Amino acid sequence: MTVLSPRPDLWTLDPGVLHLNHGSYGAVPRRTQELLAELRAEAEANPMRWFRSVAERLTASRLELAAYLQTDPAGFALVPNASAGVTAALATIPIPAGTKIVLTNHAYGAVRYAVERFARAKQAEVVTVDVPLEADDDSVIAAIEPALDVMTAALVVDQISSATAMVFPIRQLAELCRSRGIPSIVDGAHAPALLDAPAGDGADFWTGNFHKWPASPRGTAGLVVSEEWHSETLPLIVSWSENDERLPERFDQQGTHDYAAWIAAPESLRVLAELEWPRRRSELSAMLDESAKVLAKALGTSVAEVARPAATMRLVELPFPGVPSPEAGEAFKAKVSQELKAEITLTASDGRVFVRLSAHAYNSPQDYQRLADQLPSLI
Ligand SMILES: Cc1ncc(COP(=O)(O)O)c(C=O)c1O
């Protein structure tokens, strides 16, 4: 079987730039952008008529997005992003004073801030469990398990971590939490399109972004809530649907808002389907395995030995003397952008600094080869 060809033609990305960081903000295919523009034009042609049509269109969109996740639509709500999903979950669970919320050293920074805010307000403690970068599933569970005790109000855990692009054993962790009566909140920001049925692992709350790997318009994410929490889970903005007994509909109304992105979101799922996404994803994964090695060789470093790396992200170590300050990290990325016309991101873990490479349908091996040829000159 021949390898699928890269399809940059389906996006509108600047061809003069190497786009190697889909993982941060995604990129929306042309077709979805066009639909979004049409929907917005329709709204501007007659705002009253548009807002009368929104509820029905949101329902259709939600059903399609829930089907994509293979989850029960009755427990699936739309939220603007994974940050909102985690925050809504934290606002729902009881956090008695003196208890602890457990997360890992891989947690996304903004999610950690959310946990810290709730812990402060409820006089609870934040406990960070260290999980080694190279840990396999059993080692991840062995590291987290001792922190799950009678004083644990919740476990907040990544399904795929951001800085370390590592897949966590969510099914086992959710089961462990359930057996101990501890609510689990899964940050699946990167999971849609990278894992099949990512919301089906039995967590109390799962959130994931459609605006990352499924390439939906920005501001589109899902919150999947297990049945026992349906009635208590509330959207962050109090609006007209406040007293709706149905969880998804309760989240549909968030005041006057641009709902076009949520309505257009499924179009990108159709684009992915036409791109033969599951097959393409495994081809992208194989391409990244090779490309990461090429870059590591050029830099004189190594590819991080993540036991279960995310399908379309890899970490290549940078030969830096230590972790740069946030300002120095930003300055380096800006220099790469300006001088190499390449968009990359840096991450750090355990004192090591990495380029986190992403691959989507618009990328080809030549992209990473160019980075390998040019990046060493900037270090
Ligand atoms: C692991 C993880 N969690 C949460 C988020 C936050 O996502 P958003 O900015 O869509 O709220 C991100 C974003 O990159 C992420 O990588």
Side-chain angles (χ1 to χ4, degrees), residues 32 64-65 68 193 210 214 216 264-274:
T32 311
E64 209 170 332
L65 297 174
Y68 182 74
F210 286 93
S216 290
E267 188 68 9
S268 291
L269 304 181
R270 291 176 216 127
V271 174
L272 287 199
E274 286 166 29

Side-chain angles (χ1 to χ4, degrees), residues 23-24 81-84 108 111 158 160-162 187 189-190 209 211-212:
S24 284
N81 47 51
S83 304
Y108 188 69
V111 167
D158 296 287
I160 297 177
S161 54
S162 171
D187 175 359
H190 282 277
N209 282 330
H211 56 215
K212 265 191 207 303

Side-chain angles (χ1 to χ4, degrees), residues 28 31 39 44 69-70 72 84 91 124 138 162 165 175 192 203 207 241 243 245 248 272 302 308 325 328 340 366:
V28 181
R31 227 171 80 187
L39 292 170
E44 293 318 321
L69 296 178
Q70 299 174 45
D72 176 8
D138 289 345
S162 171
E175 248 171 51
T207 188
S241 52
N243 298 315
E245 282 175 10
L272 287 199
S302 55
R308 273 177 75 195
S325 66
L340 304 187
Q366 291 74 28

